[in-house]
Amino acid sequence: MKNVAVVGMSNTEGKPANFVPKYLIENGYNVIPVNPTTTEVLGRKSYSKVSDVPEQVDIVDVFRRSEDVPPVVDDAIKKKGIKVIWMQSGIYNQEAEIKAKENGIDVVYNRCMKVEHSMLID
């Protein structure tokens, strides 16, 4: 799974929503920014929502407040083919987890993709 849509991806250096996706790009992932407030992040076209992404998405990595996750999951379900909803460290929404799982999507929460990946390659 190499196609990662990052919801809430940021242009602000130093923010996890910037340095985590940058790390993923540097490690061979196809990172797709999803942020309705900007047209480009890290030199990549940004989309308003996951369902607007024209290419296949394997993982939806969420950098949004816990209470903002259910609409992200609803939109991801529309996209079809998404395998994982990943809620970053400090993010969890039970309603979103249940809905994703009911629609055949695995869920990871309160974990950082950068931290998890770095533990795998060390």
Side-chain angles (χ1 to χ4, degrees), residues 29-116:
Y29 288 85
N30 176 32
V31 172
I32 306 151
V34 177
N35 185 329
T37 66
T38 188
T39 58
E40 188 177 283
V41 183
L42 297 176
R44 293 163 183 251
K45 178 178 173 39
S46 181
Y47 297 90
S48 292
K49 53 191 181 187
V50 174
S51 60
D52 290 341
V53 175
E55 61 197 284
Q56 172 62 40
V57 173
D58 301 313
I59 301 169
V60 175
D61 187 10
V62 184
F63 284 91
R64 297 291 319 234
R65 294 180 307 176
S66 297
E67 59 268 26
D68 295 335
V69 177
V72 173
V73 170
D74 289 341
D75 185 54
I77 290 166
K78 288 184 214 168
K79 173 74 175 146
K80 305 286 185 215
I82 292 170
K83 297 168 186 73
V84 178
I85 298 290
W86 188 299
M87 295 179 249
Q88 283 292 139
S89 297
I91 303 170
Y92 176 66
N93 185 292
Q94 185 178 21
E95 173 194 344
E97 177 187 18
I98 291 166
K99 191 156 196 182
K101 287 180 174 179
E102 286 174 349
N103 284 275
I105 301 171
D106 289 331
V107 177
V108 176
Y109 59 89
N110 198 26
R111 295 206 183 277
C112 176
M113 284 188 81
K114 178 181 185 292
V115 170
E116 297 298 317

